[in-house]
Amino acid sequence: MAISKIDAITATDNTGMVLLNSTTVSSAVANVTFNSTLITDSYDDYVFIGRYLKPATDSQPFAMYLSIDNGSNYNLTVQHSMLYEDLSTDASGRATGFGQDNTSSTIKMSGSLGNDSGGGAAFHIRLFNLPNTSYYKHGYYDFIGTHASAEGNNYHWSGGIRILTASAINNVKFLYDSGNIADGKISLYGVNL
C-alpha cells in the first residue's frame, strides 16, 4: 500500500514530538519568546504551532527572530523566501511570489494581518538542527490568516528558511512588526528522529 503525500508529511512531522511548552496570550504582550531553558541540545528539531493569533494593532505582519546568545541579539543572517495565495481564488489559483531577503534577521511569515472580530491566524513551523554546531540551519513554515484589508480576505503564506550560522540557536522570538500580540497560543515541541 502506497503512503499518500499527506500521510508521509504527518508521519514525518509527528515522529518523536514532545510538548515542551505552551504559552497562551490572554492580554496583550510585546512578544512570545522561547529561551535556552527550552531550546537545548536535547532535541534535533523544533516545531512551533500557533493558534488564534491576533495583533493588537491592525494591519501588522507577524515575524520570527532567532538568537545564538539566548536573546541578547537577534542579528543572524537569514535567507528567506515567502509565497502567498488568496484562499478565495478560483481553481486556477493565483499563487504569487512575495519577497525574498537574503540579508535580513527578520523572518516575516505573513502580510498585514487584521484584528477584526472573527479574524486571527495560525501557523506551523519546523526548524531543523538548531543545536548543531557543524552545519547551517534550515526550516519551513505554513501560516494562514485574515488580511487586514477585509475580514473575508484570507491568505496562506508559506516559506523556506536558511539560517547562515553553524552556532547553536537557543532562543526564538515571535512578534508583530508594531504593537502587541493581543491573543493567541504558541506551543513548542522538541523532535528527535
Side-chain angles (χ1 to χ4, degrees), residues 177-192:
D177 269 8
S178 180
N180 291 331
I181 300 171
D183 295 299
K185 180 177 182 178
I186 302 176
S187 299
L188 169 63
Y189 296 83
V191 181
N192 282 326

Side-chain angles (χ1 to χ4, degrees), residues 7-173:
D7 290 338
I9 290 171
T10 302
T12 301
D13 284 350
N14 293 330
T15 301
M17 284 181 61
V18 176
L19 177 63
L20 302 176
N21 180 274
S22 283
T23 298
T24 300
V25 177
S26 55
S27 61
V29 298
N31 61 70
V32 173
T33 302
F34 298 91
N35 64 27
S36 63
T37 62
L38 296 167
I39 301 174
T40 67
D41 60 3
S42 297
Y43 297 94
D44 300 320
D45 304 341
Y46 287 87
V47 172
F48 297 87
I49 297 176
R51 302 168 190 85
Y52 321 116
L53 292 161
K54 256 192 198 177
T57 304
D58 196 35
S59 192
Q60 296 303 312
F62 194 74
M64 174 174 62
Y65 292 85
L66 307 168
S67 175
I68 61 172
D69 54 16
N70 200 29
S72 293
N73 294 288
Y74 293 96
N75 57 0
L76 298 176
T77 302
V78 179
Q79 293 176 329
H80 170 233
S81 66
M82 184 191 317
L83 299 175
Y84 73 90
E85 56 191 332
D86 188 332
L87 296 180
S88 64
T89 58
D90 60 20
S92 65
R94 291 186 315 225
T96 307
F98 183 85
Q100 182 169 349
D101 188 347
N102 291 329
T103 60
S104 176
S105 58
T106 303
I107 303 167
K108 289 197 180 181
M109 297 187 299
S110 75
S112 298
L113 295 170
N115 61 1
D116 296 331
S117 174
F123 64 77
H124 177 270
I125 302 165
R126 181 147 186 175
L127 298 174
F128 298 92
N129 302 317
L130 292 190
N132 189 290
T133 56
S134 298
Y135 301 100
Y136 285 177
K137 320 303 184 252
H138 297 88
Y140 65 83
Y141 66 87
D142 281 298
F143 196 103
I144 299 172
T146 302
H147 200 276
S149 61
E151 193 171 319
N153 195 4
N154 299 293
Y155 283 87
H156 169 237
W157 293 270
S158 61
I161 303 161
R162 180 171 166 87
I163 306 139
L164 304 182
T165 183
S167 298
I169 293 171
N170 60 7
N171 187 295
V172 178
K173 177 170 71 171

